[in-house]
Amino acid sequence: MTDCIKSQQPKDLFSITLEFIAINAHRIDSLIGYPDIIAQQIFNRFIHFNDCSVLQCRNQKTIVSCFVTAYNELVLESVSLSSSLIVFNEFFDTFTILFQFVREICLCSCYLGDSHDLFENMRSFCFLNKLCLKKNCLRDESVRKMTLPIRMFGVGPKNIEYLDLSDNTFTEAVIPWLTVFKKLQCLDLSGSNISIKSLHILEKKCSLKLCNSENNVHPIITKGWAIPLIERWNDVCKKRREGRNIKKQNMYFSKKRLKMAEESLSNTLNIRTSKSPKLVLKHVSFFEKNEGCTSKYTEFHQQI
């Protein structure tokens, strides 16, 4: 009886007000100067009560942009979208808004390819510190597009310190473009078609040294208010996929095609990596702190 009475009790005015704002979040002009504690509660209710949170519409981008403009990295500080190509493509426009103040992004094994819109929309990623694009079927064109706004206008992801481009088919042509990343602490080009000799340009211009060791950068995890939003996007895409009767011959989003691509790339990478050493470059300060690694580096160059 007591539980029944409690369940029938009306909501407090504060909760009613927050839900009303969340449902009508598209009418918010600005949240600048508004307490972040209250804003986070509104954002959480927007995710659960407003259909715009999962629908591709203008209102979704407007609402997310309003929160990002006011609270910057609090909304999304870092994000891991490894093997999440469908979700990334489905909500790409909103992701580009969320990425404006993100410091760490992981898009490993998404098979983006050079033609993906991401590489032409990185002009606003000025706060990006760590980027992982491992195993994405990338070639030289993607690096050219990614560095273009830095080379021409001095804007874009120029503050990157950790860049993982391993298991992609790059050539020596990317070397001059990669030199725009003046703050690099670690660069992984393992599995590419770049010769050791060509890496000397990067070593000189970016104060890097080739290190015969694994890339031991801490893994990227998702942090920020947008965690439940991205989780809901994942659930929505999963349910949509399960609800569709996808024919086997339509292999654009099928598991069969993904498996075939992974097997093909795996075989190619095994052949390439078995013939070439790990191409991990680290800042000279790393060698100064780790004298043992310096001796390994010398031996490594002598072997080459």
Side-chain angles (χ1 to χ4, degrees):
M1 186 69 179
T2 306
D3 294 336
C4 182
I5 294 173
K6 286 183 178 179
S7 63
Q8 293 177 357
Q9 288 180 351
K11 294 180 180 178
D12 60 88
L13 183 59
F14 181 68
S15 297
I16 294 173
T17 304
L18 289 182
E19 287 182 17
F20 178 80
I21 296 172
I23 293 171
N24 297 279
H26 59 284
R27 299 187 180 277
I28 299 174
D29 290 329
S30 175
L31 286 168
I32 296 175
Y34 207 73
D36 55 3
I37 297 175
I38 306 299
Q40 185 178 5
Q41 295 183 52
I42 295 173
F43 191 77
N44 288 335
R45 282 169 171 77
F46 156 70
I47 295 170
H48 294 98
F49 293 107
N50 197 320
D51 291 336
C52 290
S53 64
V54 293
L55 296 175
Q56 286 181 305
C57 60
R58 183 178 178 181
N59 284 346
Q60 182 192 80
K61 292 182 286 184
T62 302
I63 295 167
V64 171
S65 180
C66 184
F67 280 92
V68 170
T69 301
Y71 304 103
N72 304 344
E73 73 276 3
L74 289 177
V75 180
L76 191 64
E77 181 181 349
S78 61
V79 60
S80 176
L81 294 170
S82 180
S83 303
S84 301
L85 177 60
I86 296 176
V87 177
F88 185 55
N89 283 343
E90 187 80 6
F91 298 95
F92 175 75
D93 291 339
T94 308
F95 269 120
T96 55
I97 296 171
L98 288 169
F99 286 176
Q100 290 180 31
F101 295 93
V102 167
R103 300 185 185 280
E104 301 179 359
I105 298 175
C106 177
L107 289 165
C108 295
S109 304
C110 283
Y111 305 100
L112 297 175
D114 290 350
S115 60
H116 199 280
D117 291 340
L118 170 69
F119 302 108
E120 296 180 354
N121 287 273
M122 298 185 72
R123 181 188 176 95
S124 61
F125 299 178
C126 301
F127 294 88
L128 192 59
N129 177 263
K130 186 188 295 184
L131 177 62
C132 185
L133 293 171
K134 179 179 180 180
K135 202 174 184 180
N136 267 289
C137 304
L138 302 180
R139 297 181 183 275
D140 300 346
E141 183 66 10
S142 58
V143 178
R144 185 192 70 80
K145 291 178 181 178
M146 183 169 60
T147 60
L148 186 62
I150 305 175
R151 290 182 284 117
M152 292 192 67
F153 308 107
V155 297
K158 59 182 179 180
N159 294 312
I160 288 180
E161 294 182 7
Y162 301 93
L163 181 59
D164 188 347
L165 298 174
S166 59
D167 295 341
N168 292 293
T169 52
F170 297 117
T171 67
E172 283 84 356
V174 302
I175 298 297
W177 299 328
L178 290 174
T179 57
V180 301
F181 298 117
K182 302 297 184 183
K183 298 183 179 181
L184 275 177
Q185 297 294 316
C186 182
L187 172 64
D188 194 345
L189 292 168
S190 302
S192 64
N193 297 321
I194 301 175
S195 65
I196 303 297
K197 185 178 180 180
S198 300
L199 294 177
H200 291 323
I201 300 174
L202 275 175
E203 290 181 324
K204 292 178 181 179
K205 293 193 174 184
C206 297
S207 300
L208 299 171
K209 283 188 178 182
L210 194 62
C211 185
N212 187 19
S213 65
E214 295 290 334
N215 183 356
N216 55 359
V217 178
H218 294 296
I220 297 171
I221 59 174
T222 305
K223 299 178 184 177
W225 299 352
I227 291 177
L229 178 62
I230 296 172
E231 289 175 348
R232 194 174 181 197
W233 287 349
N234 274 300
D235 292 339
V236 168
C237 289
K238 186 178 180 180
K239 289 178 181 178
R240 284 177 185 171
R241 182 176 174 125
E242 291 174 350
R244 293 172 184 168
N245 184 18
I246 302 174
K247 296 181 179 180
K248 288 186 178 180
Q249 55 263 38
N250 181 14
M251 297 168 59
Y252 181 69
F253 285 127
S254 70
K255 292 181 180 179
K256 183 178 178 182
R257 181 175 185 182
L258 183 59
K259 185 177 180 181
M260 289 169 60
E262 287 179 340
E263 289 176 352
S264 176
L265 285 168
S266 178
N267 293 334
T268 304
L269 291 171
N270 286 337
I271 295 171
R272 184 164 63 243
T273 53
S274 63
K275 294 182 180 180
S276 60
K278 282 281 182 182
L279 301 180
V280 179
L281 296 98
K282 296 183 179 180
H283 196 267
V284 290
S285 59
F286 171 82
F287 294 88
E288 293 172 358
K289 296 176 182 178
N290 301 272
E291 295 180 359
C293 187
T294 308
S295 61
K296 288 182 180 179
Y297 162 76
T298 307
E299 293 174 4
F300 181 50
H301 266 280
Q302 290 175 350
Q303 291 174 4
I304 297 170

